[in-house]
Amino acid sequence: MELVVQKFGGTSVGSPEKIMNAARRTIEEKMNGNDVVVVVSAMGKTTDHLVSLAAEITQKPSKREMDMLLSTGEQVTISLLTMALQAQGYDAVSYTGWQAGIKTENVHSNARISGIDSEKIKNQLQAGKVVVVAGFQGLADGQEITTLGRGGSDTTAVALAASLKADKCDIYTDVTGVFTTDPRYVKSARKLDGISYDEMLELANLGAGVLHPRAVEFAKNYGVPLEVRSSSEKERGTLIEEETKMEQNLVVRGIAFEDQVSRITVCGLPSGLSALSTIFKTLASHGINVDIIIQSSTNSSLASLSFSVKTSDVEETVHVLETYQSELGFEKIESEGGLSKVSIVGSGMVSNPGVAAEMFDVLAQEGIEVKMVSTSEIKVSTVISHADMVKAVEALHDAFELSQQPAQVL
Amino acid sequence: MELVVQKFGGTSVGSPEKIMNAARRTIEEKMNGNDVVVVVSAMGKTTDHLVSLAAEITQKPSKREMDMLLSTGEQVTISLLTMALQAQGYDAVSYTGWQAGIKTENVHSNARISGIDSEKIKNQLQAGKVVVVAGFQGLADGQEITTLGRGGSDTTAVALAASLKADKCDIYTDVTGVFTTDPRYVKSARKLDGISYDEMLELANLGAGVLHPRAVEFAKNYGVPLEVRSSSEKERGTLIEEETKMEQNLVVRGIAFEDQVSRITVCGLPSGLSALSTIFKTLASHGINVDIIIQSSTNSSLASLSFSVKTSDVEETVHVLETYQSELGFEKIESEGGLSKVSIVGSGMVSNPGVAAEMFDVLAQEGIEVKMVSTSEIKVSTVISHADMVKAVEALHDAFELSQQPAQVL
């Protein structure tokens, strides 16, 4: 008998019919003789509906009251899913985040889980019940309802799996697994049988969107084996676990990409230790996320600095920097929109120094200009023109032979 | 400075616009220098929507999961109303039932409040905040979310007012107060300035619908002065308090009526002590509410028993009784539908023995046959044909001069 944590996202519980379908997934595990804890998100459009209600009241709702409002979404789902299980003759009980013992920091709208008191869940499992828990929410000091921010339900599921020492954590979603690249753009994209935590982290951060980075990081830290799989189809999904258990340490496992990228260039920046830190601290304090950063240091006293941001943040970025122009002493700011980021990810890269060069070679052969580059041990990211994005992804997918099933290494 | 508890029902918070209107009512009290605790119901159609979601899953949802589901309704309202107050610059905080310290019995769907730990609310009031509390819900042992059943939000408001020793409890609704009779049927119906708890209890029980009997009983027991008033219009409402403070001990204060009444007659019932108790225990155990009961004892050994039930309960009532026919030994059951109940209520009746006679006289003059009668110290109820209902109410309203403002008694 194993202990399985299942997580169903918003689209997988988007209607009473889909909730009954999710219940069937849970019942399959019970019929396999396993104990099951289920974590659910709010039903499909519920969160959007609640957000729009708040927007009719005020443009600046307090974070505490937004948490109070949004946390009702998962509470609706847990009750309906539990009813569905009971209607099929299975003993089940629903818990909100606070009832399930999910404790968080004293922060609203983006709290991190600080601990889980899982005694109650353990007792209910012992009594043979399916325990259905509201994802995305917890309780801070003073009995305050908090929410975990984006990807919160994934994080709840992984944290519960870690706390309960579950044998696995299955993330049910509207795709059948993690792909070598986005199959909506690249026909030959292939579903991966397995991927390492680190590779998934890079892919998740790079916009693959299937699983939140916080949840992957949590799973990695606590060694929780994850499987991303479809809530509507029966086929096996993609296992996410330590590299040592993986099929092969592939040089390139997948290709991630995102558009709506812009490049900001600060020209004529006086050299000095504090300018960089001032710029990025200021941007961070305005909630602007900077991605790739490149500084071209020259022999002269004036340097130029480039970085990429989301296109929707360009206007505010330029405005914030201009406010500090006299303090920072730069000459001018330039911005370029219409860009995309294309990244190759694979844990085998660390021992294959030629991978970046091969990527640049492929792009050059396609006549694609690389505007920015950033590398880590297991990825190479390039910023290119948005017009070239799909062509670049297809060429790289071909060149690194991602559509072919890798040979098993014995 | 007074402490005021305000309660807004579902129609008074049915949309973001109405919630902002409710917030203005709260702000008026704050501007009068008063402390305010606000109790709210779920928004208009929310409960119906949640019930229909559950119905798509199962026809027999467990009461625990229904409480889990329905309690989200008020949680949405408290957050939105608090946002509305904050947007107007007022410090406010929302609490669910469990956060507000509302403790109940260990019963789902119809729990009674067993106690209130109001320390947290008192502290927030002390800090100058408006406290917005979810009505209709509480917490039982084992951190179980419970709901209070029909009229639950009224009860929450009155219980909080009692616990906090509030100076008054204002029930905001979609009518301007309590009327001598239903103004939709009788044009000359007049809004009452005041009414006693006992009269209101009879009127509430008799279908006036404006305030739940449980809440009135609670208010009476703890001496909480209630005012029923309109959330959309500024005029004064109806005060509900002890008779001693009232304008006058009126013989008849109001006329209540309801249709969909049926009479069941059990013929040829052998006399004996246990038959009556068996019949009504059995019906109660099937959730059938019996209203007026009349037994005609004769000299023979066979008696006949009549009682009134809601027309929607007739079929099950007959079925249940027939199941026990051999045990009870009666001859046959007759039922008559298409009836209505018309009642006059007034605390002055207790010292005016001729009131019932006057009522029958008025009905006789109108050619209306009285099929059943039931009296208490402050009311006389009659069951008549539904076709005569409105005619009876109008004639009684005229005869007891209810459309005229009573003279002040010095």
Side-chain angles (χ1 to χ4, degrees):
Chain A
M1 191 176 77
E2 293 194 328
L3 171 57
V4 181
V5 175
Q6 298 182 320
K7 182 258 170 178
F8 294 95
T11 54
S12 302
V13 291
S15 66
E17 198 190 334
K18 287 190 169 183
I19 287 171
M20 286 189 275
N21 187 55
R24 278 189 285 275
R25 294 296 178 150
T26 303
I27 290 169
E28 282 165 20
E29 287 292 355
K30 284 296 284 183
M31 289 177 72
N32 289 339
N34 295 329
D35 279 340
V36 191
V37 173
V38 191
V39 174
V40 291
S41 303
M43 292 172 72
K45 305 287 176 198
T46 302
T47 305
D48 290 346
H49 170 66
L50 294 172
V51 167
S52 77
L53 277 179
E56 283 188 63
I57 300 274
T58 172
Q59 288 309 306
K60 300 219 167 179
S62 69
K63 289 181 173 178
R64 179 189 189 276
E65 298 306 326
M66 279 307 284
D67 282 359
M68 182 66 86
L69 180 66
L70 296 182
S71 60
T72 62
E74 298 81 36
Q75 190 172 332
V76 168
T77 319
I78 56 172
S79 63
L80 294 176
L81 179 57
T82 303
M83 288 175 195
L85 290 166
Q86 292 171 340
Q88 296 295 313
Y90 287 81
D91 210 354
V93 63
S94 68
Y95 288 136
T96 61
W98 61 268
Q99 288 176 321
I102 315 273
K103 300 190 190 311
T104 76
E105 311 167 312
N106 289 327
V107 173
H108 284 290
S109 93
N110 201 20
R112 277 182 299 196
I113 293 176
S114 57
I116 297 183
D117 179 2
S118 53
E119 211 50 47
K120 206 162 157 185
I121 295 178
K122 282 177 187 157
N123 291 340
Q124 297 285 19
L125 290 173
Q126 201 109 47
K129 291 187 194 176
V130 174
V131 181
V132 182
V133 178
F136 181 71
Q137 56 182 248
L139 194 69
D141 291 350
Q143 299 195 312
E144 288 288 291
I145 294 175
T146 52
T147 66
L148 310 180
R150 290 196 59 185
S153 292
D154 288 345
T155 308
T156 301
V158 173
L160 273 174
S163 166
L164 296 164
K165 297 185 175 48
D167 297 283
K168 59 176 183 156
C169 179
D170 289 348
I171 309 288
Y172 286 89
T173 178
D174 51 353
V175 296
T176 55
V178 180
F179 282 72
T180 52
T181 194
D182 190 332
R184 288 172 299 180
Y185 291 86
V186 180
K187 287 255 150 55
S188 56
R190 183 177 56 82
K191 190 179 73 189
L192 293 162
D193 290 337
I195 186 172
S196 72
Y197 294 119
D198 286 335
E199 288 171 332
M200 189 66 222
L201 261 182
E202 292 287 1
L203 285 174
N205 273 321
L206 292 168
V210 78
L211 198 56
H212 199 272
R214 279 169 68 186
V216 179
E217 204 177 348
F218 212 116
K220 176 185 151 113
N221 290 343
Y222 290 91
V224 177
L226 295 176
E227 184 174 342
V228 173
R229 54 189 305 184
S230 164
S231 55
S232 59
E233 287 170 54
K234 287 239 172 184
E235 62 184 280
R236 257 200 61 190
T238 301
L239 269 173
I240 304 160
E241 52 193 345
E242 279 302 339
E243 276 167 50
T244 47
K245 298 178 190 167
M246 305 272 310
E247 48 182 19
Q248 192 178 336
N249 225 358
L250 281 188
V251 175
V252 177
R253 182 90 54 190
I255 302 174
F257 52 93
E258 58 183 302
D259 57 6
Q260 297 296 319
V261 173
S262 285
R263 175 169 64 171
I264 306 276
T265 305
V266 183
C267 306
L269 195 62
S271 61
L273 292 171
S274 66
L276 275 183
S277 119
T278 306
I279 286 175
F280 294 114
K281 264 190 202 157
T282 306
L283 292 176
S285 75
H286 285 77
I288 297 166
N289 255 323
V290 169
D291 186 9
I292 300 177
I293 299 171
I294 289 168
Q295 189 182 23
S296 63
S297 47
T298 60
N299 286 333
S300 84
S301 65
L302 295 179
S304 113
L305 168 75
S306 290
F307 54 86
S308 67
V309 293
K310 281 186 198 158
T311 297
S312 56
D313 282 340
V314 168
E315 202 178 328
E316 198 182 351
T317 305
V318 171
H319 174 73
V320 167
L321 290 180
E322 283 176 349
T323 312
Y324 290 83
Q325 181 156 16
S326 61
E327 186 184 330
L328 294 165
F330 58 82
E331 280 168 8
K332 60 173 178 172
I333 300 172
E334 288 171 355
S335 72
E336 179 182 8
L339 304 179
S340 289
K341 186 168 71 162
V342 173
S343 310
I344 56 174
V345 174
S347 47
M349 263 180 222
V350 69
S351 50
N352 280 270
V355 178
E358 194 175 343
M359 182 182 192
F360 303 146
D361 195 36
V362 170
L363 295 177
Q365 277 171 32
E366 297 288 328
I368 296 169
E369 182 196 357
V370 175
K371 292 168 185 279
M372 299 178 88
V373 174
S374 156
T375 61
S376 79
E377 290 198 329
I378 65 165
K379 75 151 190 205
V380 182
S381 293
T382 58
V383 172
I384 61 176
S385 166
H386 175 62
D388 293 329
M389 181 180 82
V390 175
K391 188 166 73 169
V393 174
E394 284 175 333
L396 292 165
H397 201 264
D398 277 355
F400 289 107
E401 298 180 339
L402 294 185
S403 58
Q404 287 152 50
Q405 191 73 29
Q408 290 294 328
V409 175
L410 297 177
Chain B
M1 191 176 78
E2 294 194 325
L3 172 57
V4 180
V5 174
Q6 299 182 318
K7 183 258 172 178
F8 295 95
T11 53
S12 302
V13 291
S15 66
E17 198 190 334
K18 287 189 169 182
I19 287 171
M20 286 189 275
N21 187 55
R24 277 189 285 274
R25 293 297 179 153
T26 303
I27 289 170
E28 282 165 19
E29 287 292 357
K30 284 297 284 184
M31 288 176 72
N32 289 338
N34 295 329
D35 279 341
V36 191
V37 173
V38 190
V39 175
V40 291
S41 302
M43 292 171 71
K45 305 285 176 198
T46 301
T47 305
D48 290 347
H49 170 65
L50 294 172
V51 167
S52 77
L53 277 179
E56 284 189 62
I57 299 274
T58 173
Q59 288 309 307
K60 300 219 168 178
S62 69
K63 288 181 175 177
R64 179 188 189 275
E65 298 306 326
M66 278 308 283
D67 281 358
M68 181 67 85
L69 180 65
L70 295 182
S71 61
T72 62
E74 298 81 35
Q75 190 172 332
V76 168
T77 318
I78 55 171
S79 62
L80 294 177
L81 179 57
T82 303
M83 286 176 197
L85 291 166
Q86 291 171 340
Q88 296 296 315
Y90 286 82
D91 210 355
V93 63
S94 68
Y95 288 135
T96 62
W98 60 268
Q99 288 175 320
I102 314 276
K103 300 190 191 308
T104 76
E105 311 168 312
N106 290 326
V107 172
H108 284 289
S109 93
N110 201 20
R112 277 183 299 198
I113 293 177
S114 57
I116 296 184
D117 179 2
S118 54
E119 211 50 47
K120 208 161 153 183
I121 295 178
K122 282 178 188 157
N123 290 339
Q124 297 286 17
L125 290 173
Q126 202 110 45
K129 292 186 194 179
V130 174
V131 181
V132 182
V133 178
F136 180 70
Q137 57 183 247
L139 194 70
D141 291 349
Q143 299 195 313
E144 288 287 292
I145 294 174
T146 53
T147 66
L148 310 181
R150 290 195 60 184
S153 292
D154 288 345
T155 308
T156 301
V158 174
L160 273 174
S163 166
L164 295 165
K165 299 185 173 48
D167 297 283
K168 60 175 182 155
C169 179
D170 288 348
I171 309 288
Y172 285 90
T173 178
D174 52 353
V175 296
T176 54
V178 180
F179 282 72
T180 52
T181 193
D182 190 332
R184 287 171 301 180
Y185 291 85
V186 180
K187 287 254 152 52
S188 56
R190 184 176 55 82
K191 190 179 74 188
L192 294 162
D193 290 337
I195 186 171
S196 72
Y197 294 119
D198 285 336
E199 288 171 333
M200 188 65 222
L201 261 181
E202 291 289 0
L203 284 174
N205 273 322
L206 292 168
V210 78
L211 197 56
H212 199 272
R214 279 169 69 187
V216 179
E217 204 175 349
F218 212 116
K220 176 185 151 112
N221 290 342
Y222 290 90
V224 176
L226 294 177
E227 183 175 344
V228 174
R229 54 190 304 185
S230 164
S231 54
S232 58
E233 286 168 57
K234 287 239 171 184
E235 62 183 282
R236 257 199 63 188
T238 302
L239 269 174
I240 304 160
E241 51 193 346
E242 280 301 338
E243 276 167 51
T244 47
K245 298 179 190 165
M246 305 272 310
E247 48 182 17
Q248 191 177 339
N249 226 359
L250 281 188
V251 175
V252 177
R253 181 90 55 190
I255 303 174
F257 52 93
E258 57 184 302
D259 58 5
Q260 297 296 319
V261 173
S262 285
R263 174 169 64 170
I264 306 276
T265 306
V266 182
C267 307
L269 195 62
S271 62
L273 292 171
S274 65
L276 275 184
S277 119
T278 306
I279 285 175
F280 294 112
K281 264 190 201 156
T282 306
L283 292 176
S285 75
H286 284 77
I288 296 166
N289 256 323
V290 169
D291 186 11
I292 299 177
I293 300 171
I294 290 168
Q295 188 181 24
S296 63
S297 47
T298 60
N299 287 333
S300 82
S301 65
L302 294 180
S304 115
L305 168 75
S306 289
F307 54 87
S308 67
V309 294
K310 281 186 198 156
T311 297
S312 56
D313 281 340
V314 168
E315 202 178 327
E316 199 182 350
T317 304
V318 172
H319 174 74
V320 167
L321 290 180
E322 283 176 347
T323 312
Y324 290 85
Q325 181 156 16
S326 63
E327 184 184 331
L328 294 166
F330 59 82
E331 281 168 8
K332 59 173 178 172
I333 300 172
E334 289 170 356
S335 70
E336 180 182 8
L339 304 178
S340 289
K341 186 169 72 162
V342 173
S343 310
I344 57 174
V345 174
S347 47
M349 263 179 222
V350 70
S351 50
N352 281 270
V355 179
E358 193 176 345
M359 182 183 193
F360 302 146
D361 194 36
V362 170
L363 295 176
Q365 278 170 30
E366 298 287 328
I368 297 169
E369 182 197 357
V370 175
K371 293 170 184 280
M372 299 177 89
V373 174
S374 157
T375 60
S376 79
E377 291 199 327
I378 65 167
K379 74 148 193 207
V380 182
S381 293
T382 59
V383 172
I384 61 177
S385 165
H386 174 63
D388 294 327
M389 181 180 82
V390 175
K391 187 167 71 170
V393 174
E394 282 175 335
L396 292 165
H397 200 264
D398 277 356
F400 291 107
E401 299 180 338
L402 293 185
S403 57
Q404 287 152 49
Q405 192 73 28
Q408 290 294 328
V409 175
L410 298 176

